[in-house]
């Protein structure tokens, strides 16, 4: 615990900047140092977000055997700057029939609620984290649940049928996929025993393995729900171009539109960052401790930040890959996947992980196998324990949940659209057989 | 510092709460309610009840308010304020009732005794953390917790039964 608390302490040069004596470090630790961190994180993240758009265009181009942006700078690498300038200089159009106040605050709600989450994400070891909050994960879920409001209000205030339909779809989708996302994380929390994001990284470091090995089903559910939560393809129904023009931001132009785009890509970055923190070991990689003792603390922190960024980049590449290679889901398929597969699978994962964990506890704690030992105030799986958790996760949890859900979903088909349609066809054919009048 | 933050969030929450009543457009009222809830959750954080603060945002500002806004959008609320029937007699009754409420509020404020705030870094004493709430919920208050969840399950099943379409 003291190691985690040490994350917040400002370095000496900040303290000399505020000129405070050691016991009184309020300004250095709560005002000046966090402000410096926030400015750096915002600058880096917003630049990265601008370049994510560039990479999205490049990757989509390569997948479709095109070249993508090539004109602005070598290989088009200055394209984001040109786009940003264009969007800033564009005319800001507010439709006459729009609700002006709500129309102008909706993009702000959207952007702010995604940017606030950046404050609690552990970007790296030691001083690279802005705030290590005791309720970290809950904070992330809470703030990102508010971002739905931005989309809903944008759609409503535009006074346009495309915007309204897009907003209805996005709010229904995000509210449903949020549940699955929250449930998928709980399994990993059973192992970490903390909600603090830095604490979860430290727990994976102490356990020796990233939690996606113990929680394959949870990781899978999280990845799929995160796609739905960020409105990315194959779940990009809220902005399905062929049906809704552009969804909730149809009526937006210029920089307000850019704010929505920024919010969308930042949300992608944030969900990937949470996935990396909870399931992929965060900023830690094997050999980092050796680097700390041999190369000094600063290189150690910088390398940890690089490791975190690298893991995020892999996930974001996967997101883009999914988007340009998979067709879009139909709306009822989307809801069925969310409510009848992801949420029950998340519940099954919580229950089964709980059972495996209790069985692995030592006998004094009410367990059977004793694969988990208490060392330094934490429960750490032993060598056999690691193998046990990986095997139960991959070989029992996934097939068991799958079999269970497949059986239940096959038997409870009365809410199933396909089944209803088949029933109507059957009734209609029976009426035709009896020569009764049939509605066309 | 803590006092300054308290004043900021208290003013925001009270102003937003007043705005709920003063707005004619239901959507603006709903948005003001979101503002109130967020300011209240900031106050919870200052009382070192971080868990309640986060849950307040997840449940109310996130889920329930989105549903409110959803319903307001779907019902397509009329732009003009609805006609309100005015009873003269009720207006005269309202004044003593308001006085009663204010007197009650003052009585409660006088009744409340200042309590000792738990130290921020004392994790064993902290009452508002996820650890202490979870421990209490699954040991001392296990039966009420389970009964509540069964109640919610009943509500869900009831909604399913009511929403279910006939076979033909």
């Amino acid at each position: 615990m003291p190691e985690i608390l040490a994350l917040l302490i400002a370095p000496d040069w900040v303290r000399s900047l505020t000129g405070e004596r050691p016991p009184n470090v309020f300004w250095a630790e709560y005002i000046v140092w966090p402000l410096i961190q926030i400015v750096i994180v915002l600058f880096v993240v917003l630049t990265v977000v601008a370049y994510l758009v560039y990479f999205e265009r490049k990757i989509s181009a390569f997948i479709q055997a095109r070249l993508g942006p090539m004109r602005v700078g070598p290989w088009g690498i200055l394209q984001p700057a040109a786009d940003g300038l264009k969007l800033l200089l564009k005319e800001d159009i507010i439709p006459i029939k729009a609700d002006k106040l709500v129309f102008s605050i909706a993009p702000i709600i959207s952007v702010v609620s995604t940017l606030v989450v950046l404050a609690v994400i552990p970007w790296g070891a030691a001083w690279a984290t802005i705030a290590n909050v005791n309720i970290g994960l809950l904070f992330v879920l809470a703030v990102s649940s508010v971002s739905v409001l931005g989309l809903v209000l944008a759609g409503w205030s535009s006074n346009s049928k495309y915007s309204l339909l897009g907003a209805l779809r996005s709010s229904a989708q995000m509210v449903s996929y949020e549940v699955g996302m929250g449930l998928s994380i709980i399994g990993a929390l059973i192992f970490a025993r903390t909600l603090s994001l830095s604490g979860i990284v430290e727990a994976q470091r102490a356990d020796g393995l990233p939690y996606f090995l113990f929680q394959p089903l949870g990781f899978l559910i999280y990845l799929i729900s995160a796609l739905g939560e960020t409105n990315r393809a194959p779940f990009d129904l809220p902005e399905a171009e062929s049906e809704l023009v552009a969804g909730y931001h149809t009526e937006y132009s210029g920089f307000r539109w850019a704010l929505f785009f920024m919010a969308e890509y930042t949300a992608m970055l944030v969900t990937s960052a949470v996935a990396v923190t909870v399931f992929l070991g965060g900023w830690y990689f094997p050999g980092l401790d050796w680097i700390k003792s041999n190369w000094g603390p600063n290189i150690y922190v910088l390398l940890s930040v690089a490791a975190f960024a690298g893991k995020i980049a892999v996930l974001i590449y996967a997101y883009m890959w999914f988007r340009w290679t998979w067709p879009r889901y139909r709306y009822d398929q989307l809801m069925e996947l969310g409510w009848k597969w992801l949420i029950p699978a998340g519940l099954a994962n919580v229950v089964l992980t709980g059972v495996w964990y209790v069985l692995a506890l030592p006998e004094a704690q009410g367990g059977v196998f004793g694969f988990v030992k208490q060392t330094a105030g934490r429960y750490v799986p032993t060598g056999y324990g690691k193998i046990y958790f990986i095997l139960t996760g991959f070989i029992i949890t996934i097939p068991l949940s799958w079999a269970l859900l497949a059986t239940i979903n096959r038997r409870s088909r009365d809410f199933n659209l396909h089944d209803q349609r088949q029933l109507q066809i059957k009734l209609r054919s029976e009426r035709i057989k009896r020569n009764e009048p049939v509605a066309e | 510092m803590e006092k300054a933050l308290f004043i900021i969030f208290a003013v925001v929450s009270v102003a937003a709460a007043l705005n709920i009543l003063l707005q004619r457009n239901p959507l603006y009222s709903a948005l003001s309610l979101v503002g109130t809830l967020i300011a209240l959750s900031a106050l919870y954080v200052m009382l070192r009840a971080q868990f309640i603060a986060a849950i307040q945002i997840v449940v109310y500002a996130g889920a329930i308010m989105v549903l409110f806004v959803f319903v307001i959008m779907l019902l397509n609320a009329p732009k003009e304020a609805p006609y309100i029937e005015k009873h003269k007699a009720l207006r005269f009754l309202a004044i003593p009732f308001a006085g009663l409420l204010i007197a009650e509020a003052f009585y409660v404020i006088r009744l409340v005794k200042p309590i000792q705030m738990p130290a921020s870094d004392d994790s064993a004493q902290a009452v508002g953390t996820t650890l202490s709430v979870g421990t209490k919920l699954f040991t001392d208050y296990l039966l009420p917790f389970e009964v509540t969840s069964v109640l919610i399950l009943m509500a869900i099943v009831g909604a399913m039964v009511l929403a279910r379409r006939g076979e033909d």
Side-chain angles (χ1 to χ4, degrees):
Chain A
M1 255 334 200
E3 200 178 335
I4 297 171
L5 285 174
L7 293 174
L8 286 172
I9 288 170
D12 292 332
W13 59 270
V14 176
R15 263 181 250 173
S16 65
L17 206 70
T18 57
E20 285 168 308
R21 303 220 170 258
N24 178 24
V25 284
F26 178 80
W27 275 87
E29 274 179 22
Y30 293 100
I31 312 285
V32 180
W33 177 232
L35 264 180
I36 295 169
Q37 288 175 309
I38 287 167
V39 168
I40 294 171
V41 164
L42 272 186
F43 179 75
V44 172
V45 165
L46 293 181
T47 314
V48 166
V49 162
Y51 270 90
L52 281 183
V53 180
Y54 168 78
F55 283 117
E56 174 112 58
R57 291 178 64 182
K58 272 293 187 196
I59 288 166
S60 73
F62 291 149
I63 285 173
Q64 296 167 347
R66 294 183 284 118
L67 283 174
M70 288 295 280
R71 304 258 167 170
V72 193
W75 302 287
I77 51 167
L78 294 177
Q79 187 71 42
D83 283 347
L85 205 63
K86 184 196 80 175
L87 288 169
L88 268 174
L89 297 175
K90 250 187 162 177
E91 188 187 349
D92 177 32
I93 301 166
I94 299 181
I96 288 179
K97 290 225 166 179
D99 190 321
K100 287 190 184 55
L101 179 71
V102 180
F103 190 83
S104 46
I105 62 168
I108 300 173
I109 294 178
S110 215
V111 163
V112 167
S113 57
T114 39
L115 289 184
V116 164
V117 180
L118 299 177
V120 295
I121 287 174
W123 300 103
W127 46 262
T129 306
I130 300 177
N132 174 30
V133 196
N134 154 314
I135 47 158
L137 255 181
L138 269 178
F139 181 86
V140 173
L141 290 178
V143 175
S144 57
S145 73
V146 175
S147 70
V148 188
L149 268 179
L151 309 192
V152 175
L153 293 175
W156 177 81
S157 64
S158 306
N159 213 340
S160 142
K161 53 183 179 288
Y162 300 122
S163 303
L164 186 67
L165 282 174
L168 286 177
R169 279 187 182 182
S170 73
S171 51
Q173 177 179 334
M174 286 170 88
V175 168
S176 331
Y177 276 71
E178 225 167 62
V179 184
M181 200 162 145
L183 284 173
S184 67
I185 295 171
I186 296 176
L189 293 183
I190 292 176
F191 291 100
R193 297 197 166 200
T194 173
L195 279 171
S196 146
L197 287 166
S198 300
I200 293 169
V201 177
E202 292 286 343
Q204 289 175 76
R205 182 186 191 166
D207 286 357
L209 285 175
Y211 286 151
F212 81 97
L213 291 171
F214 294 166
Q215 282 292 312
L217 185 59
F219 186 48
L220 205 66
I221 298 168
Y222 183 87
L223 279 188
I224 300 171
S225 315
L227 281 178
E229 182 73 11
T230 49
N231 292 331
R232 297 276 305 174
F235 308 126
D236 59 342
L237 287 133
E239 38 198 293
E241 297 92 347
S242 48
E243 302 158 22
L244 293 176
V245 188
Y248 58 86
H249 56 61
T250 305
E251 303 295 334
Y252 280 84
S253 65
F255 207 67
R256 288 184 211 283
W257 178 81
L259 287 180
F260 276 121
F261 227 65
M262 221 156 84
E264 195 182 315
Y265 279 85
T266 314
M268 204 164 106
L269 195 82
V270 164
T271 48
S272 313
V274 172
V276 168
T277 308
V278 178
F279 293 106
L280 300 180
W283 41 261
Y284 182 73
F285 59 91
L288 200 60
D289 294 320
W290 183 86
I291 288 168
K292 186 184 184 182
S293 52
N294 286 341
W295 294 359
N298 285 327
I299 292 173
Y300 155 76
V301 173
L302 291 178
L303 276 178
S304 72
V305 174
F308 194 72
K311 289 175 184 177
I312 290 181
V314 170
L315 276 187
I316 285 183
Y317 177 73
Y319 277 8
M320 293 183 176
W321 191 16
F322 295 158
R323 170 159 179 187
W324 295 100
T325 47
W326 276 344
R328 186 179 294 135
Y329 267 56
R330 209 172 59 213
Y331 199 71
D332 62 308
Q333 291 173 330
L334 173 91
M335 281 298 157
E336 187 171 302
L337 181 71
W339 286 99
K340 293 169 86 173
W341 291 92
L342 293 183
I343 293 174
L347 286 170
N349 185 42
V350 172
V351 173
L352 288 174
T353 310
V355 170
W356 307 142
Y357 197 86
V358 169
L359 285 180
L361 283 173
E363 273 180 50
Q365 303 278 332
V368 180
F369 302 125
F371 286 149
V372 181
K373 289 273 179 295
Q374 194 167 15
T375 41
R378 281 200 74 249
Y379 288 90
V380 176
T382 56
Y384 285 120
K386 284 171 192 164
I387 297 167
Y388 162 81
F389 282 127
I390 292 170
L391 286 184
T392 48
F394 277 94
I395 297 178
I396 308 182
T397 307
I398 290 184
L400 192 62
S401 323
W402 191 355
L404 207 69
L405 285 179
T407 320
I408 293 171
N409 283 341
R410 262 188 82 78
R411 290 208 181 163
S412 61
R413 271 180 301 178
D414 55 353
F415 275 100
N416 192 327
L417 267 180
H418 172 76
D419 210 53
Q420 293 241 343
R421 240 178 252 142
Q422 294 300 316
L423 191 76
Q424 292 303 323
I425 291 168
K426 207 179 86 189
L427 291 175
R428 189 185 152 95
S429 68
E430 278 168 10
R431 275 193 213 116
I432 292 172
K433 265 184 210 156
R434 293 197 299 266
N435 281 327
E436 283 174 25
V438 184
E440 285 304 320
Chain B
M1 189 65 193
E2 214 153 288
K3 199 165 262 180
L5 283 175
F6 171 77
I7 289 169
I8 292 170
F9 288 117
V11 166
V12 167
S13 67
V14 172
L18 280 176
N19 203 32
I20 299 171
L21 300 175
L22 297 176
Q23 286 295 336
R24 288 293 168 94
N25 190 332
L27 197 87
Y28 287 3
S29 297
L31 274 182
S32 312
L33 187 51
V34 175
T36 316
L37 292 170
I38 291 174
L40 276 182
S41 112
L43 291 179
Y44 287 146
V45 172
M46 292 173 61
L47 290 170
R48 313 234 161 86
Q50 299 99 326
F51 182 73
I52 308 274
I55 291 300
Q56 163 108 345
I57 303 264
V58 171
V59 175
Y60 289 102
I64 291 185
M65 287 321 293
V66 170
L67 276 184
F68 269 35
V69 172
F70 206 85
V71 170
I72 292 171
M73 276 164 54
L74 280 179
L75 293 181
N76 213 354
K79 281 264 160 33
E80 288 80 37
Y83 176 71
I84 301 164
E85 218 174 324
K86 285 173 182 158
H87 289 292
K88 276 264 163 64
L90 280 181
R91 192 179 294 175
F92 290 116
L93 260 178
I95 295 166
F97 274 118
L100 200 69
L101 264 180
I102 291 169
E104 199 179 324
F106 271 105
Y107 178 69
V108 169
I109 288 169
R110 281 184 66 87
L111 207 68
V112 171
K113 292 189 186 75
I115 53 156
Q116 199 63 46
M117 282 283 284
S120 59
D121 49 355
D122 196 353
S123 56
Q125 290 292 310
V127 285
T129 57
T130 321
L131 180 72
S132 60
V133 171
T135 314
K136 282 278 177 211
L137 214 55
F138 287 105
T139 52
D140 294 358
Y141 300 101
L142 184 62
L143 185 68
F145 178 69
E146 293 294 333
V147 168
T148 315
S149 61
V150 170
L151 204 66
I152 293 170
L153 186 70
M154 276 158 65
I156 294 172
V157 173
M160 294 277 284
V161 169
L162 289 177
R164 194 185 166 115
R165 264 184 283 176
E167 285 292 289
D168 45 19

